[in-house]
């Protein structure tokens, strides 16, 4: 399986992802890896309906994503992994999935989160997961839109008190 892009964006498939990031990735399949979304039939259906034309979408949990990645049947697939949080990215990496860089696009502000940038708010657990991803050798690529310059997410977390 050829991972073209891995992105955290809790809005999942929306205008920017469907039109710009999907094209940027050049993948034939978007795999949403989220335990929460996988269990929510309405949200899962909406995510699939928002898919760009010609791109298949699957919504699965981490365990199944690891199995699919390692299944020889899918070795020629080009994929765009989409996540809602860094903990599931970390599970994938620790499960042997070679994610070298994670694009951090959007994590909305809500109760219990602290704002890091205009588009990214995280919990203490998210901060721990991001730091562990760095220790696993994963680049944290902070870009809301594809034309943005890469931002230093580690520095932004320090500035925010993490």
């Amino acid at each position: 399986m050829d991972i073209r892009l891995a992105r955290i964006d809790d809005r999942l498939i929306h205008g920017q992802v469907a039109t710009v990031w999907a094209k940027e990735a050049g993948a034939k399949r978007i795999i949403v890896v989220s335990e929460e979304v996988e269990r929510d039939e309405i949200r899962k259906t909406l995510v699939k309906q928002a898919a760009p034309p010609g791109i298949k979408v699957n919504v699965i949990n981490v365990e199944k994503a690891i199995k699919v990645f390692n299944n020889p049947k899918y070795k020629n697939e080009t994929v765009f992994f989409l996540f809602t949080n860094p903990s599931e990215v970390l599970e994938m990496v620790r499960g042997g999935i070679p994610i070298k860089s994670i694009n951090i696009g959007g994590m909305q502000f809500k109760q219990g989160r602290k704002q890091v940038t205009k588009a990214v708010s995280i919990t203490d657990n998210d901060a721990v997961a991001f730091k562990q991803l760095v220790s696993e050798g994963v680049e944290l690529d902070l870009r809301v839109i594809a034309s943005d310059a890469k931002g230093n997410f580690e520095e932004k977390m320090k500035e925010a008190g993490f």
Side-chain angles (χ1 to χ4, degrees):
M1 191 173 276
D2 179 6
I3 302 170
R4 297 289 178 89
L5 180 66
R7 177 177 169 90
I8 296 173
D9 191 328
D10 58 15
R11 297 167 295 168
L12 298 172
I13 300 175
H14 56 88
Q16 191 66 228
V17 167
T19 59
V20 178
W21 286 105
K23 196 176 290 181
E24 179 94 1
K28 298 288 183 210
R29 183 180 301 271
I30 295 173
I31 300 178
V32 174
V33 182
S34 171
E35 186 83 37
E36 179 187 341
V37 180
E38 194 245 353
R39 284 187 269 130
D40 183 336
E41 287 303 319
I42 293 171
R43 194 165 176 204
K44 188 181 345 183
T45 300
L46 291 171
V47 166
K48 288 180 177 183
Q49 289 175 344
I55 296 180
K56 297 174 190 153
V57 175
N58 300 92
V59 180
I60 57 180
N61 62 30
V62 171
E63 183 182 341
K64 184 160 185 184
I66 293 169
K67 285 179 184 170
V68 167
F69 184 86
N70 291 309
N71 185 334
K73 176 180 170 183
Y74 302 108
K75 74 176 185 158
N76 295 321
E77 284 280 338
T78 55
V79 298
F80 170 0
F81 280 122
L82 195 52
F83 300 88
T84 58
N85 66 71
S87 297
E88 288 172 316
V89 179
L90 183 60
E91 282 183 67
M92 293 276 286
V93 169
R94 290 186 170 161
I97 307 307
I99 297 172
K100 301 294 177 213
S101 177
I102 185 72
N103 169 249
I104 305 159
M107 296 175 70
Q108 61 188 299
F109 181 80
K110 55 185 168 187
Q111 187 76 25
R113 289 188 179 188
K114 192 174 189 181
Q115 193 167 10
V116 176
T117 70
K118 283 193 306 188
V120 180
S121 297
I122 63 175
T123 65
D124 290 337
N125 288 342
D126 293 332
V128 168
F130 278 124
K131 290 174 185 177
Q132 290 173 336
L133 283 165
V134 169
S135 73
E136 295 279 347
V138 178
E139 173 195 32
L140 304 182
D141 169 17
L142 175 63
R143 286 186 294 156
V144 176
I145 58 175
S147 60
D148 285 348
K150 285 186 181 184
N152 186 332
F153 193 68
E154 288 177 272
E155 191 60 41
K156 294 286 186 194
M157 284 195 311
K158 285 179 192 166
E159 290 169 12
F162 289 104

